[in-house]
Amino acid sequence: MSLRNIAIVAHVDHGKTTLVDAMLKQSGVFRDNEVVQDRVLDSNDLERERGITILAKNTSVRFRDTKINIIDTPGHADFGGEVERTLMMADGALLLVDAAEGPLPQTRFVLKKCLEAGFPIIVAINKIDRSDARAHEVLSEVFDLFCDLEASDAQADFPILYTNARAGIAHRELGDPSQNLLPLFETILERIPEPHGDPAGKLQTILCTLDYDDYVGRIAIGKVVSGTLRPASLVALVGKNATLRGKVTQVYRFEGLERQSVSEAEAGEVVAIAGMEEFEVGDTISDPEAPEPLPRIQVEEPTLKMRIGVNTSGFAGREGRFLTSRQLRERLFKEARKNVAIRVEDGETADVFVVYGRGELQLAILVETMRREGYEMQLSNPEVVVREIDGQRMEPVERVVVDVPEAFIGVVTERLGRRRGQMTRMSNPGYGRARLEFRLPSRGLIGFRGEFLTETRGTGLCNAIFDGWQLYSGPMLRRPAGAIVADRAGVATPYALFHLQPRGTLFIDPGQAVYEGMIIGEHCRPSDLDVNAIKEKKLSMIRNHGKDENVILAVPPPMGLERCMEWIDRDELVEVTPAAIRLRKVILSCERRPRRDVED
């Protein structure tokens, strides 16, 4: 039996997981009468809720006498670390590009990583059934991207497929009569090489991902680079700082959506391994007599940091199960061991920890996962990581690609200009939409996405990716509006909220409990406003000849975790518990709190 290992890479929402669904169905993984949900590999609750892939997944299909191991990677820029570490299990890549949107920032990132690894690339122009598809123009843009990234002549001579992943169809040429994915399977066998490695050589297995099983404990997923791995064999685990000896109890390989226990796995196979609790991402399993480590996984440095601390609000300890700094620290460092794109450090005090990541979404997913596990915590506003390079203060810069209707070009350009954005390119692919490219400090993107969706009335698309470092560009205006802050504890009343509505936008409903220092709305002016949100109408025994006002309250805007993280300023925190997400001031007492400063 021959073997192929292929990674499917693309920008977010370009159809990777949907294409894997079709490959699984047409290769006979499912029974004819089996009910299969869409995007079967997106098994995580958060992935299904958000409609994106967060964690890389492994599966396999069989075509003729060949087994094809498939690695489905995330497409969002914040999860680029998942892509970087899982590419080590592949020997080639399938690059999907939307037939209407064309190459976007994450397309550039994943293609760059694949080219650096020396992979042969298969290009699939997906979603050819879209009414605004422009397959030939997109193909030209993809070729320009290969040239821009300095691909070798062999890599630039890539095969091209035109696919409709939802319908499970692939064409070698637009308009050919193909009605299935046969051209895709044949192209994989033709263009992706068999794995290199000597099954009789010295054992070397690189560990790329960690998992957990209730029966066998910690599981490491990786690729056997050389030699043969067998259950019950003694091995050396070569870590970053030490080499440990232990026994491999189980070796699994991927068959469809299942893991099957095997008696041996030869060089080139993607495997799951159980038996040692000390597994870490990037470690090498090698021969115990003469261990030889493989190069450790290197990922790009994080560009954003956020402080996560023990909840100290007026409602602390009421709604969560894990409350202490010890529990919080253990959970965060456990995540850092599993995810190489996240780094955790102890903060200035014992109850605060600094978490470094690639972007707001990555940090928000981590916090939301912990919240659902029962943790209580409080979050500071995200900050960019500033470096000293050659004695100069440098900050990260983003390449931002904005796709908007032509009517909103002016307002988007003006909004990004305020955030020190510089337009580098503008194109109009047609259909009434324009594509703008900007280069701006990463600080400028904090809090921009919500404002962008409001200004474009939900019709704009904004994508960004890290684009290097530049000199620190000075102060930047933060949120222009102040906060409406409760000045005492109690339960919010309709009467009080009705009279506070003219002062700004309220975030809470009547009947919601509040405490001193809790933020209940956005002020219409730059200054903060301390208010009594629990005031009740005084009743008396004297009949009033006038008429009571009809209390009509506006519906509060949805304030999810990401929106709250974007909204808060330096003197504010997000309180996160399993039952609620609240906003608060760092200093709860209104008598001790200084005036708000709107400059960065």
Side-chain angles (χ1 to χ4, degrees), residues 60-344:
S60 73
V61 298
R62 290 183 181 270
F63 178 69
R64 296 173 182 162
D65 61 344
T66 301
K67 179 185 176 185
I68 303 173
N69 284 318
I70 300 171
I71 302 136
D72 181 26
T73 61
H76 198 285
D78 285 18
F79 307 111
E82 286 282 318
V83 179
E84 291 178 83
R85 72 184 186 188
T86 52
L87 285 180
M88 297 190 73
M89 293 187 279
D91 300 297
L94 172 62
L95 176 70
L96 262 67
V97 184
D98 191 295
E101 295 180 359
L104 288 172
Q106 187 67 359
T107 313
R108 183 186 188 90
F109 173 80
V110 295
L111 179 58
K112 177 184 175 185
K113 295 299 176 184
C114 291
L115 294 175
E116 288 175 354
F119 288 170
I121 313 289
I122 299 171
V123 174
I125 309 297
N126 193 30
K127 302 188 182 182
I128 56 174
D129 57 321
R130 286 184 57 162
S131 59
D132 55 348
R134 47 187 190 93
H136 294 300
E137 294 92 329
V138 166
L139 179 57
S140 297
E141 294 173 8
V142 171
F143 185 76
D144 291 343
L145 183 58
F146 270 77
C147 296
D148 192 30
L149 294 175
E150 300 179 353
S152 67
D153 292 343
Q155 290 172 324
D157 185 22
F158 51 82
I160 304 151
L161 296 168
Y162 301 92
T163 60
N164 178 356
R166 187 175 292 276
I169 298 172
H171 305 277
R172 293 186 185 272
E173 297 289 342
L174 278 175
D176 72 30
S178 173
Q179 293 298 314
N180 53 36
L181 292 177
L182 184 61
L184 173 60
F185 287 122
E186 292 176 342
T187 305
I188 291 174
L189 265 58
E190 294 167 6
R191 302 303 291 260
I192 304 300
E194 288 199 53
H196 302 292
D198 180 10
K202 183 174 288 187
L203 176 63
Q204 286 183 307
T205 302
I206 184 73
L207 306 183
C208 303
T209 310
L210 298 179
D211 201 354
Y212 187 83
D213 185 272
D214 292 335
Y215 297 99
V216 299
R218 201 169 197 184
I219 290 177
I221 299 170
K223 180 182 178 182
V224 183
V225 178
S226 174
T228 301
L229 185 64
R230 297 179 177 88
S233 59
L234 295 174
V235 297
L237 181 67
V238 185
K240 188 173 183 179
N241 301 313
T243 299
L244 304 175
R245 296 178 186 274
K247 180 186 286 189
V248 171
T249 58
Q250 292 285 348
V251 177
Y252 305 90
R253 69 182 179 196
F254 295 90
E255 293 290 346
L257 299 177
E258 306 294 330
R259 291 181 187 145
Q260 287 187 358
S261 181
V262 293
S263 59
E264 65 177 27
E266 295 184 346
E269 184 67 85
V270 175
V271 295
I273 308 159
M276 298 178 70
E277 289 296 315
E278 297 83 5
F279 289 136
E280 300 289 352
V281 172
D283 289 356
T284 301
I285 290 178
S286 188
D287 190 316
E289 301 302 325
E292 290 185 13
L294 291 164
R296 291 191 70 83
I297 297 173
Q298 300 293 329
V299 299
E300 293 188 3
E301 289 292 311
T303 57
L304 209 63
K305 65 180 179 180
M306 181 174 69
R307 287 171 174 80
I308 299 181
V310 174
N311 187 11
T312 59
S313 78
F315 295 160
R318 297 187 184 184
E319 299 163 347
R321 291 188 296 123
F322 305 110
L323 316 171
T324 65
S325 61
R326 177 184 60 81
Q327 293 168 327
L328 203 58
R329 187 180 190 278
E330 287 177 357
R331 178 63 181 84
L332 290 172
F333 277 90
K334 176 183 175 184
E335 184 69 25
R337 288 195 300 271
K338 185 172 68 173
N339 188 343
V340 292
I342 282 180
R343 201 169 76 233
V344 180

Side-chain angles (χ1 to χ4, degrees), residues 15-23 39 72 126 164-168:
K16 299 179 298 300
T17 308
T18 305
L19 182 63
V20 174
D21 278 1
M23 294 174 73
R39 295 181 293 108
D72 181 26
N126 193 30
N164 178 356
R166 187 175 292 276

Side-chain angles (χ1 to χ4, degrees), residues 334-476:
K334 176 183 175 184
E335 184 69 25
R337 288 195 300 271
K338 185 172 68 173
N339 188 343
V340 292
I342 282 180
R343 201 169 76 233
V344 180
E345 295 177 355
D346 291 314
E348 300 86 359
T349 59
D351 59 351
V352 175
F353 310 96
V354 184
V355 181
Y356 296 81
R358 287 280 185 89
E360 292 171 89
L361 179 60
Q362 184 187 33
L363 297 175
I365 292 293
L366 169 61
V367 172
E368 179 65 25
T369 302
M370 293 174 61
R371 183 174 89 91
R372 297 186 183 198
E373 293 171 359
Y375 286 85
E376 273 193 25
M377 69 205 89
Q378 60 191 24
L379 320 175
S380 73
N381 66 316
E383 306 171 46
V384 297
V385 177
V386 179
R387 284 183 177 180
E388 289 284 338
I389 301 177
D390 297 330
Q392 295 181 313
R393 195 181 184 197
M394 309 289 279
E395 66 174 341
V397 188
E398 305 276 337
R399 179 199 294 263
V400 182
V401 178
V402 175
D403 192 306
V404 293
E406 293 173 345
F408 300 116
I409 293 175
V411 66
V412 170
T413 303
E414 188 263 337
R415 294 286 180 176
L416 284 171
R418 286 186 191 176
R419 296 169 178 264
R420 302 184 184 275
Q422 297 180 348
M423 186 186 295
T424 58
R425 188 167 175 261
M426 178 177 177
S427 60
N428 191 333
Y431 308 101
R433 298 181 71 87
R435 177 167 295 177
L436 316 175
E437 291 191 17
F438 292 84
R439 197 168 187 269
L440 81 159
S442 298
R443 287 180 297 150
L445 281 178
I446 298 175
F448 174 70
R449 297 184 192 277
E451 180 182 318
F452 171 76
L453 289 174
T454 301
E455 294 294 343
T456 60
R457 301 176 188 174
T459 61
L461 299 172
C462 178
N463 298 283
I465 195 164
F466 174 67
D467 194 37
W469 299 82
Q470 71 173 23
L471 281 173
Y472 189 79
S473 52
M476 187 177 295

Side-chain angles (χ1 to χ4, degrees), residues 453-520:
L453 289 174
T454 301
E455 294 294 343
T456 60
R457 301 176 188 174
T459 61
L461 299 172
C462 178
N463 298 283
I465 195 164
F466 174 67
D467 194 37
W469 299 82
Q470 71 173 23
L471 281 173
Y472 189 79
S473 52
M476 187 177 295
L477 184 70
R478 291 283 291 149
R479 189 184 74 229
I484 301 176
V485 188
D487 65 0
R488 65 200 72 188
V491 177
T493 63
Y495 178 77
L497 298 183
F498 176 70
H499 289 91
L500 290 175
Q501 273 191 143
R503 301 296 189 97
T505 303
L506 298 178
F507 297 155
I508 65 171
D509 290 307
Q512 186 170 332
V514 299
Y515 54 83
E516 182 181 8
M518 177 175 163
I519 297 172
I520 64 169

